Amino acid sequence: MAEGKKTVLIVGMAKSGVSSAKLLAKKGYKLIINDVKRDIPGLKEQLAGIEYKDALGAPAEALVDMCDMVVLSPSVPMFRPFAQDALAKGKEVIGEIELGYRYCDRGAKFVCIGGTNGKTTTTTLTGEIFKRAGKNTFVLGNIGVPITEYADSVKAGDYVVAETASLQLESIKDFRPNAAGLLNITEDHLNRFGSMEAYIAAKARMFENQTADDFAVLNHDDETVAGLAASIKAKVIWFSQNSELGEGMFMRGNEMVWRKDGVDETIIDVRELKIPGRHNIENAMCASCLALCMGIDAQTVRETLREFKGVEHRIELVREKNGIVYINDSKGTNPDSTIKAVLAMTRPTILLLGVGDYDKRSDFKPLFREFGDTVKGVVASGITVPEILEAAEATGFKNIKVCRGTFDEMVEEATQMAKPGYAVLLSPAAASWGMFSDYEERGRRFKEIVKKL
């Protein structure tokens, strides 16, 4: 990107907006910062030493003519009228992930992970593999650290392992991963994209700029993911739990097997994994394929898989009290993610659902159908309560309570429903926004409540 005294409008001043502002200021751009909120606690301190025009609370539409380029937060859709107006006037409109990519050294390698569920675990695991292999590795993106935060530090020979979400990929232009893995695609963010077709198209943009020199790691077992292969220019690497593949990663009994050029190599017996559940085998397969196709040796992959203990807020054991275990899966922000958590439970479970005031228009009925003998009770709160109750009624699930009080009271309600030998699982199947700043704050609050019991 040409540097100079051009003016950039940054819309959305959460983590990505702050990091974008710091990077652009360092590169000599004039800045206009904008957000729907007029007052953002701590923002002035975060932007200390940077010159900018404060347009917090102002309509973004009124600011377009004052800028040369627009940088969007992932939460701001490209279809917003002001963004379309900027494009119509010949101004570039990109997101933070594209901005960060442009300022990383082109000699660096990008390894990216996408999918509706499992991205954070897989991204963290992939990063650990590359670090163990001795690579200078930056783990960035939707995982919580914007690419712009470290873009200036990424040099030739470094590796950026990035979690990429559909909300970020929507606004890319040149962004090109050397290796990109797609775990799965299930219903999510329909309030943003309007249809599954548009959501799938946003996910698929991760492969858009790849060439035959790059790798696309795809889940053979996910029909939607597999259907993208025909349109991908990169070399496709498959992984599957259900089928023995001619090339790629597959299961032989309990063993993960890597087949390349007709030669089989056992990577690990999945019973050695410390991360529970079938979905985590999927995550381990994707991470392993990404590392192996980028030249990391199998022994390094094997050792990392054996030691990896998972990530915070994803099926995370908090404590056991009076024979009841409390598990934090705040990262479960859609029904399919919560299904995976439920299927990983080995105890009778009381499930906390909702816990947020942002409605993605999700269908909770598939989740309730997967309860089986595992979920014995549900406590629900937040804006999605009507949809949760509708799903319970449609599937005949009776033991459900609605909490109109505090999060503390919700956890206490679940504790009273549980018996010794039970699990209390926070896996809300909904976004945290409105009640919390993000799923991490929701998870931390849950852990604080549980530790005080």
Side-chain angles (χ1 to χ4, degrees), residues 194-212:
S195 69
M196 271 302 289
E197 290 73 20
Y199 176 58
I200 293 166
K203 288 285 186 195
R205 294 204 69 192
M206 183 165 59
F207 308 107
E208 186 175 292
N209 296 317
Q210 286 191 306
T211 71

Side-chain angles (χ1 to χ4, degrees), residues 381-394:
S381 71
I383 199 170
T384 55
V385 161
E387 290 91 342
I388 292 169
L389 292 175
E390 179 188 341
E393 183 176 357

